Amino acid sequence: MNKSGFKYQWDAVALASVVLLVFSFALGGASRDQALRLAVIELAALPLLVMAAGRLIKDDAWRQHRFLLGLLAALVAIPLIQLIPLPAAVWTALPGRDQLVLALDITGLASGWSPMTLTPDKTWASALALVPPAAMLLAVLSLTHIQRQRLVQVCIAAAMASILLGAAQLASGGDSLYLWSWTDAGSVTGFFANRNHLASLLLITLPFAITFGAATLRRSDQRTTALWIGGLFAGLVVIALAAIRSRAGITLFAPAMVLSLLAAWIAAGRGKPGPGLLVLVGGVGAALTAVAVLALPPILARFDTENQFEGRLDRWPLVAETAQTYLPLGSGVGSFDAVYRSVEPLDELDSTFFNQAHNDYLETWLETGWLGIGLILGFFVWYARRTWTAWKAPPSREGDLQRAASIGIGVLILHSVADYPLRTVTLSVILALCCGLLELASRTEQTR
């Protein structure tokens, strides 16, 4: 590759985006007890945020993405607004502050100025945690197609590396290969602290790998290496999910795979399925057969909850009831742990702790009230519109990425119903990457 070609693919914004991705995978795979690692990622994101925002403003390209950027601005504004100091007469009148006022009265302390959030330190940390995904979103909107494609390929390579690390973790039997000290030995987690989040990563990258491979079929003069890699990756994902044994990952695999194959068929030209697509289907089928023969009983055992206490399901009603106490503005971003501890029934106290709601929609409702729910609804509107545009578009390099991105976002939307994948920096940055790719469907439609 000549010097000008290298510059075209790897300018400063593109290189900073890759650095942020690498840091996110290496340091951002947990949702708690990672203040130092998170600070490193946030510092790595700052140059990218400045350069990408400057490019969008300079090129006046931000006007094409006003709705999505408005959602991003609202997302950042919510924790910042919650940190604004308020007079005592204002914040003490907010719903749910009765216990805090009573505690001040008992200790004899005066009620001075205070923000509306109950945990200012956690809210400030949550606001800073938005820097990496915000930087990635702005970067994707300002990059060229080939640069965006390279970022996706980095994610696929990281997913494969995570599979290999997970295999080594399973084979070692010890805890020396885990990046997080609180991960249970014997679990397959890769770069993450939680097996469910590794499963999400694999399901997000699956449609990209398959679509990249299928796209070579409509360009007959191209080599089919990507096709074989896509088939191999799909088979590895099946086997890896069987080893990970994440209930969420196994449940979401079928819809993710069906949609991925549909996106692959479109990428191949919407023609009669040929030998190339059969390679992809065959790779998945062979892996499914191997899993059914060798690992089906342990997988089914993960779904046998007859004698297990499903804490998250039993505690959701209490979370919803508590959220009502803090409406309409919520208790503050990051305050769930402190709030839940204040209402947790005594008969549920044991050696475990419920530090997350395991339902990001409920947790958002408790922490941000109607503002957060309105933001989620606005995101769903944006997602539905852009997904419709992407899937009705003809096969193209941009369209292939957009359809795959819509599947990846859908995986995280559904997984967030019963878990908290976006509390990890890695998956929040990947979500931002997918949102940036899908947002470009509007530009593609205008071009057509």
Side-chain angles (χ1 to χ4, degrees):
M1 180 184 295
N2 57 37
K3 186 175 180 180
S4 61
F6 178 85
K7 182 179 179 181
Y8 174 72
Q9 291 193 28
W10 299 110
D11 58 17
V13 175
L15 286 172
S17 302
V18 172
V19 170
L20 176 57
L21 272 180
V22 172
F23 275 69
S24 298
F25 277 104
L27 303 174
S31 59
R32 61 184 179 91
D33 297 341
Q34 56 158 352
L36 179 59
R37 302 187 200 189
L38 181 57
V40 172
I41 301 173
E42 291 165 357
L43 289 174
L46 285 176
L48 178 60
L49 181 67
V50 174
M51 289 188 294
R55 178 179 292 183
L56 286 174
I57 296 172
K58 179 181 178 181
D59 298 340
D60 206 30
W62 66 271
R63 297 182 184 274
Q64 303 175 22
H65 314 294
R66 282 175 292 188
F67 188 82
L68 180 60
L69 293 179
L71 293 177
L72 176 62
L75 177 64
V76 175
I78 288 177
L80 295 181
I81 291 174
Q82 292 179 339
L83 288 167
I84 297 176
L86 301 173
V90 176
W91 73 262
T92 56
L94 294 174
R97 273 62 180 182
D98 300 344
Q99 293 184 4
L100 183 56
V101 174
L102 178 61
L104 290 174
D105 291 340
I106 293 175
T107 56
L109 297 176
S111 299
W113 286 63
S114 180
M116 71 172 65
T117 175
L118 298 177
T119 54
D121 56 333
K122 297 291 182 66
T123 303
W124 178 242
S126 299
L128 292 177
L130 295 174
V131 173
M136 180 57 66
L137 175 61
L138 298 182
V140 173
L141 295 178
S142 65
L143 295 176
T144 65
H145 169 76
I146 190 65
Q147 291 168 341
R148 292 190 290 268
Q149 184 171 293
R150 293 291 180 262
L151 291 182
V152 173
Q153 291 169 346
V154 169
C155 292
I156 295 174
M160 295 188 72
S162 205
I163 291 176
L164 295 177
L165 177 58
Q169 291 168 345
L170 186 63
S172 68
D175 57 1
S176 59
L177 296 178
Y178 292 96
L179 303 183
W180 309 94
S181 59
W182 58 87
T183 304
D184 294 333
S187 298
V188 178
T189 60
F191 294 122
F192 295 89
N194 187 312
R195 71 173 82 195
N196 296 314
H197 300 157
L198 174 57
S200 283
L201 171 65
L202 300 185
L203 293 178
I204 294 169
T205 51
L206 176 65
F208 287 105
I210 292 180
T211 303
F212 279 151
T216 62
L217 299 177
R218 74 169 186 266
R219 302 189 298 271
S220 57
D221 58 328
Q222 299 290 324
R223 293 179 295 178
T224 59
T225 304
L227 179 65
W228 289 101
I229 293 176
L232 174 63
F233 184 79
L236 285 176
V237 167
V238 175
I239 297 173
L241 288 176
I244 297 168
R245 286 186 285 174
S246 162
R247 285 174 292 184
I250 295 170
T251 302
L252 294 174
F253 169 74
M257 177 56 74
V258 170
L259 290 174
S260 297
L261 292 175
L262 180 58
W265 173 70
I266 297 174
R270 286 196 174 102
K272 181 179 179 180
L277 283 179
L278 295 179
V279 170
L280 292 174
V281 177
V284 175
L288 285 173
T289 301
V291 169
V293 172
L294 301 175
L296 189 58
I299 294 174
L300 294 178
R302 285 283 296 158
F303 290 86
D304 183 13
T305 60
E306 181 178 354
N307 297 320
Q308 296 180 19
F309 173 65
E310 286 296 315
R312 69 186 69 177
L313 297 178
D314 293 337
R315 294 174 182 180
W316 284 349
L318 179 58
V319 175
E321 180 182 349
T322 306
Q324 298 278 358
T325 305
Y326 293 93
L327 291 178
L329 299 178
S331 59
V333 178
S335 64
F336 175 84
D337 187 22
V339 170
Y340 188 82
R341 288 174 188 268
S342 69
V343 299
E344 187 175 14
L346 293 177
D347 57 357
E348 292 184 6
L349 295 177
D350 53 30
S351 58
T352 63
F353 59 96
F354 198 58
N355 63 321
Q356 303 288 350
H358 293 270
N359 182 317
D360 265 347
Y361 304 104
L362 269 179
E363 190 162 337
T364 299
W365 188 22
L366 187 150
E367 294 181 345
T368 62
W370 292 116
L371 292 177
I373 295 301
L375 182 59
I376 290 175
L377 292 177
F379 176 80
F380 285 165
V381 170
W382 169 86
Y383 174 66
R385 291 177 58 190
R386 293 294 180 263
T387 299
W388 173 257
T389 301
W391 281 85
K392 72 178 183 180
S396 66
R397 294 176 184 269
E398 290 279 5
D400 296 341
L401 287 178
Q402 292 158 10
R403 284 181 285 272
S406 70
I407 299 172
I409 296 172
V411 167
L412 289 173
I413 288 175
L414 293 176
H415 194 182
S416 296
V417 173
D419 206 349
Y420 45 93
L422 297 179
R423 306 283 168 172
T424 67
V425 180
T426 306
L427 293 180
S428 67
V429 168
I430 294 177
L431 174 66
L433 170 60
C434 291
C435 287
L437 294 173
L438 185 58
E439 167 63 14
L440 295 171
S442 62
R443 190 175 68 182
T444 303
E445 185 177 43
Q446 293 171 2
T447 303
R448 292 199 302 271

